[in-house]
């Protein structure tokens, strides 16, 4: 819908500029057109006259008048008015919204989708939790945001790959193995012999028991049977990683998160990618030796100080395999790469990008993209919840799913801008009221389903073509507002994709649900409820037009919920 005023204004601007021999970039129009908030100002407004008045050496209202004259009569436009200092307000003819309703119903689950991405490959890495414990609520926020971004980009025509990077090497895995070994040996966190930085959750006891019982574990890409050898630390390590990978896999499945690729940090070492990257950087002359360590000249690429790559005592610092991993992303053809991670990863961004630039393999500055989410505070009964018995020191994702369900968990974790801190109120998520946004949205969908089911129960025949012929009977302000909101869905998808901002979908769904509930509760001048279903044959045309409008609203609600990974219930 937004393309209509954009097209008309671009053509008019080019015509007026040519007539007055003025050079103006017609792409300015793209930035000038916005939907109006107040319906009295029309459907769309543009400040292009104010943006270009200086070029025309005229005042904005005079430029606006020239543009209106150049546009002339158009089949989509009821009127164009000049407001304030020179805004152009476009009001559509109702038929344009009627056509859009038909488009919603005809395209169904693909309504709002576009091909602006032109099937370009984009890789989204998210969650990427160390296999050292159950997923916590921070991982859950990353999962909800990352998967929703993937869904939105898919709706914008990108070829999306979801990827989980497993840090299955390094000191944290050593601590995991040592913690399980200690439990096997009967050492507890209260004992003096307990290792420093050991993992204390009850899940460590479960791993130790399973290992001694020689149980088998099937994770995403491996099956391991425990040897039961209490003295074989390597066996314990491999079993513990597989055990926790399986547990994380189960949590992600409960959260309806699926990945296309699981990438192992250990493979970067086994396949020589880390050594290859380090050798390339040495050959490029961007490293130096100092104090027994190997350093990367990251200050040459905007970092605040140079960074150690290989420590004095041996072993690489954690950003080095990250550089190798992203070099492999580039080699796999991902010109768009998005990392959704916790805010604690902020310090690695400049180092990874510096290493990639130093390789000189054509990677552009600012690649990959980073989306960093802030912490999540979980509240219950007005108090912060900090500890899960199973995890020992944090609230797990499974705790939330078990408490409030998958849909509420996903919605609340994705419904705010990732760069803002989030308070997850369990009591609100459980409430069945309009205060609970996910309940409010899903109830709007279920409410429409109830009306459509009642029509079928009554045996009332419904002819879509007959309904379309009677759409001109939709004259109430609530109907116009609902049609207008429905027609903006495609624009929201584009904006949410361009800004990697799935919370915009959540905001839109709240607005759409509000319009649906308002329409359902509308009353006549006498204060009586206006029924959608009627036994009056003379009113059947209006009834079917209303049902067609609700069918479109039901479809858009379902499409929007799907972009957030939520269900669209038919009963509540």
């Amino acid at each position: 819908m937004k393309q209509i005023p954009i097209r008309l204004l671009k053509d008019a601007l080019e015509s007026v500029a040519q007539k007055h021999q003025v050079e103006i970039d017609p792409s300015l129009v793209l930035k000038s057109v916005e939907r109006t908030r107040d319906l009295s100002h029309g459907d769309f407004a543009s400040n292009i006259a104010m943006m270009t008045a200086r070029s025309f050496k005229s005042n904005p209202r005079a430029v606006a008048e020239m543009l209106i004259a150049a546009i002339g009569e158009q089949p989509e436009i009821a009127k164009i008015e000049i407001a304030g200092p020179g805004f152009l307000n476009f009001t559509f003819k109702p038929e344009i919204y009627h056509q859009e309703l038909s488009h919603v119903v005809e395209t169904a689950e693909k309504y709002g989708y576009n091909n602006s991405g032109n099937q370009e490959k984009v890789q989204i890495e998210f969650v990427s939790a160390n296999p050292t414990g159950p997923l916590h609520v921070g991982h859950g926020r990353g999962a909800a945001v990352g998967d929703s971004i993937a869904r939105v980009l898919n709706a914008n025509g990108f070829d999306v790959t979801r990827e989980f990077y497993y840090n299955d090497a390094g000191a944290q895995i050593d601590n995991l193995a040592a913690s399980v070994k200690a439990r096997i040996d009967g050492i507890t966190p209260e004992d003096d012999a307990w290792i420093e930085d050991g993992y204390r959750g009850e899940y460590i006891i479960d791993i130790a028991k399973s290992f001694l019982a020689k149980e088998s574990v099937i994770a995403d890409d491996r099956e391991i049977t425990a040897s039961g050898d209490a003295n074989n630390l390597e066996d314990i390590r491999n079993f513990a990683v597989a055990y926790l990978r399986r547990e994380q896999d189960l949590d992600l499945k409960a959260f309806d998160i699926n990945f296309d690729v699981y990438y192992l940090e250990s493979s970067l070492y086994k396949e020589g990618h880390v050594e290859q990257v380090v050798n390339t950087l040495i050959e490029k002359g961007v490293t130096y030796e100092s104090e027994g360590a190997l350093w990367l000249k990251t200050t040459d690429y905007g970092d605040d100080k140079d960074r150690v790559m290989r420590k004095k005592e041996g072993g690489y610092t954690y950003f080095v395999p990250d550089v190798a991993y992203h070099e492999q992303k580039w080699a796999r053809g991902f010109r768009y790469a998005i990392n959704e991670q916790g805010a604690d990863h902020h310090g690695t961004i400049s180092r990874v990008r510096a290493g990639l630039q130093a390789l000189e393999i054509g990677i552009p500055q600012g690649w990959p993209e980073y989306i960093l989410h802030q912490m999540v505070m979980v509240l219950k009964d007005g108090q912060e919840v900090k500890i899960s018995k199973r995890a020992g020191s944090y609230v797990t994702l499974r705790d939330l799913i078990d408490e409030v369900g998958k849909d509420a968990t996903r919605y609340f974790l994705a419904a705010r801008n990732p760069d803002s801190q989030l308070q997850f109120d369990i009591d609100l998520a459980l409430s069945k009221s309009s205060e609970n946004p996910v309940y409010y949205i899903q109830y709007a969908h279920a409410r429409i389903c109830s009306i459509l089911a009642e029509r079928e129960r009554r045996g009332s025949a419904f002819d879509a073509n007959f309904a379309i012929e009677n759409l001109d009977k939709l004259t109430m302000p609530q109907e116009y507002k609902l049609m207008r909101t429905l027609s903006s869905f495609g624009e929201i998808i584009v904006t949410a994709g361009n800004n990697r901002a799935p919370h915009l979908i959540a905001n839109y769904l709240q607005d759409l649900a509000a319009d649906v509930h308002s329409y359902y509760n509308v009353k006549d001048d006498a204060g009586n409820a206006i029924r959608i279903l009627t036994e009056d044959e003379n009113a059947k045309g209006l009834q079917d037009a209303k049902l067609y409008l609700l069918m479109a609203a039901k479809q858009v609600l379902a499409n929007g919920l799907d972009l957030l990974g939520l269900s669209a219930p038919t009963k509540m």
Side-chain angles (χ1 to χ4, degrees):
M1 301 281 290
K2 188 177 182 180
Q3 295 307 310
I4 294 173
I6 287 176
R7 170 176 53 80
L8 296 176
L9 281 173
K10 284 183 69 175
D11 291 345
L13 186 63
E14 289 177 353
S15 173
V16 173
Q18 184 177 17
K19 180 178 179 180
H20 289 79
Q21 297 182 334
V22 174
E23 287 191 13
I24 293 179
D25 182 2
S27 68
L28 288 174
V29 172
L30 298 174
K31 302 175 183 178
S32 77
V33 177
E34 297 290 343
R35 281 185 177 263
T36 60
R37 293 181 179 272
D38 187 341
L39 289 178
S40 66
H41 297 159
D43 294 298
F44 287 90
S46 170
N47 65 345
I48 190 63
M50 290 179 281
M51 294 173 67
T52 59
R54 180 173 295 180
S55 298
F56 282 110
K57 297 180 180 179
S58 182
N59 66 75
R61 291 187 69 90
V63 174
E65 289 172 355
M66 290 190 292
L67 291 172
I68 290 176
I71 291 172
E73 295 290 329
Q74 295 294 332
E76 306 97 337
I77 304 300
K79 61 182 178 179
I80 307 175
E81 296 177 309
I82 303 174
F87 287 100
L88 285 166
N89 292 342
F90 291 76
T91 299
F92 288 164
K93 293 179 179 177
E95 305 91 86
I96 301 303
Y97 286 109
H98 302 162
Q99 293 170 15
E100 193 68 13
L101 287 185
S102 298
H103 186 48
V104 174
V105 176
E106 290 167 5
T107 52
E109 68 273 4
K110 292 299 182 183
Y111 177 72
Y113 283 37
N114 64 81
N115 195 37
S116 60
N118 199 29
Q119 290 303 303
E120 287 195 73
K121 292 175 62 177
V122 56
Q123 186 246 38
I124 304 179
E125 179 203 337
F126 56 103
V127 183
S128 294
N130 295 329
T132 54
L135 299 178
H136 54 61
V137 291
H139 295 133
R141 190 175 194 186
V145 172
D147 187 60
S148 297
I149 291 173
R151 290 167 182 260
V152 170
L153 288 179
N154 178 66
N156 279 296
F158 286 89
D159 180 6
V160 181
T161 296
R162 296 166 169 86
E163 189 151 316
F164 190 122
Y165 177 64
Y166 267 113
N167 298 89
D168 62 338
Q172 290 176 315
I173 302 301
D174 293 339
N175 284 342
L176 171 67
S179 300
V180 177
K181 176 71 166 64
R183 286 293 192 176
I184 289 173
D185 293 341
I187 301 172
T188 71
E190 292 73 32
D191 296 333
D192 292 339
W194 184 258
I195 61 169
E196 186 179 359
D197 298 326
Y199 294 97
R200 298 168 175 263
E202 287 192 357
Y203 66 93
I204 298 295
I205 300 174
D206 296 337
I207 297 172
K209 289 179 179 178
S210 296
F211 180 81
L212 291 175
K214 300 181 181 180
E215 292 181 3
S216 295
V217 169
I218 301 176
D220 180 71
D221 66 344
R222 65 184 68 185
E223 179 176 354
I224 292 180
T225 299
S227 68
D229 184 353
N231 295 313
N232 192 325
L233 190 61
E234 187 63 22
D235 281 359
I236 293 172
R237 180 200 314 273
N238 292 334
F239 181 78
V241 168
Y243 185 101
L244 288 170
R245 286 194 58 182
R246 178 186 65 179
E247 182 161 317
Q248 291 180 359
D249 288 345
L250 292 173
D251 288 347
L252 292 169
K253 284 181 174 61
F255 209 39
D256 195 20
I257 302 289
N258 298 289
F259 288 92
D260 303 300
V261 176
Y262 289 89
Y263 201 102
L264 303 182
E265 179 186 1
S266 58
S267 70
L268 294 168
Y269 293 95
K270 291 177 182 177
E271 296 172 12
H273 297 306
V274 174
E275 285 296 326
Q276 180 181 356
V277 161
V278 171
N279 290 336
T280 299
L281 293 173
I282 293 173
E283 292 169 4
K284 295 290 183 183
V286 293
T287 66
Y288 61 91
E289 297 272 356
S290 177
E291 301 175 352
L294 180 66
W295 297 69
L296 178 64
K297 299 176 183 178
T298 53
T299 51
D300 290 352
Y301 303 92
D303 201 358
D304 58 343
K305 61 180 180 180
D306 292 341
R307 305 290 176 173
V308 174
M309 293 177 60
R310 187 172 56 231
K311 295 174 283 190
K312 180 179 180 180
E313 61 273 19
Y316 295 113
T317 54
Y318 59 88
F319 88 91
V320 177
D322 280 356
V323 174
Y325 173 45
H326 285 85
E327 185 273 336
Q328 285 300 297
K329 289 184 183 183
W330 184 260
R332 284 185 281 154
F334 294 113
R335 296 306 176 257
Y336 291 95
I338 303 169
N339 294 349
E340 205 295 337
Q341 298 172 326
D344 56 330
H345 288 79
H346 181 270
T348 67
I349 295 176
S350 58
R351 300 169 212 182
V352 171
R353 286 176 173 169
L356 293 170
Q357 290 295 300
L359 290 173
E360 297 180 353
I361 55 175
I363 295 177
Q365 291 184 2
W367 189 97
E369 296 178 45
Y370 284 88
I371 297 168
L372 303 182
H373 64 259
Q374 296 294 326
M375 65 175 289
V376 180
M377 178 187 296
V378 180
L379 301 177
K380 188 173 185 180
D381 299 325
Q383 301 295 317
E384 183 179 0
V385 180
K386 292 185 177 180
I387 297 176
S388 161
K389 183 178 180 182
R390 175 156 172 72
S393 60
Y394 57 85
V395 180
T396 69
L397 173 60
R398 183 57 70 93
D399 290 333
L400 281 187
I401 296 173
D402 290 345
E403 189 83 19
V404 304
K406 182 265 291 183
D407 281 356
T409 303
R410 283 191 66 135
Y411 182 89
F412 277 87
L413 291 176
R416 291 196 64 188
N417 194 320
D419 65 9
S420 62
Q421 293 191 357
L422 173 65
Q423 288 188 342
F424 191 111
D425 190 332
I426 289 176
D427 299 315
L428 177 61
L430 286 171
S431 71
K432 292 178 171 58
S433 72
S434 60
E435 298 299 315
N436 179 356
V438 66
Y439 178 84
Y440 188 65
I441 294 164
Q442 290 181 319
Y443 183 48
H445 184 272
R447 209 169 200 178
I448 296 173
C449 290
S450 176
I451 294 171
L452 297 176
E454 175 63 16
R455 177 191 63 79
E456 290 188 8
R457 189 188 68 78
R458 294 184 184 186
S460 174
F462 179 80
D463 184 337
N465 290 327
F466 177 70
I468 292 171
E469 291 170 1
N470 285 276
L471 290 178
D472 60 342
K473 292 182 169 65
L474 300 176
T475 58
M476 291 194 306
Q478 294 86 348
E479 290 164 340
Y480 189 84
K481 190 170 187 295
L482 180 52
M483 287 189 288
R484 191 172 183 268
T485 301
L486 290 173
S487 72
S488 68
F489 184 53
E491 297 158 31
I492 296 294
I493 289 178
V494 171
T495 303
N498 290 343
N499 293 284
R500 321 304 193 219
H503 64 281
L504 297 180
I505 302 293
N507 296 342
Y508 169 83
L509 288 172
Q510 287 193 61
D511 292 340
L512 177 55
D515 288 347
V516 169
H517 291 304
S518 175
Y519 184 41
Y520 185 88
N521 295 321
V522 69
K523 293 178 172 57
D524 61 19
D525 294 338
N528 300 313
I530 297 178
R531 301 293 180 185
I532 293 173
L533 298 178
T534 178
E535 302 294 340
D536 184 356
E537 284 297 318
N538 293 324
K540 192 173 186 308
L542 176 59
Q543 170 194 271
D544 284 10
K546 289 176 178 287
L547 290 172
Y548 198 79
L549 172 58
L550 288 178
M551 287 170 59
K554 169 180 170 289
Q555 186 65 64
V556 176
L557 283 166
N559 291 3
L561 286 164
D562 184 67
L563 290 177
L564 298 178
L566 277 63
S567 64
T570 58
K571 294 180 180 180
M572 290 182 70

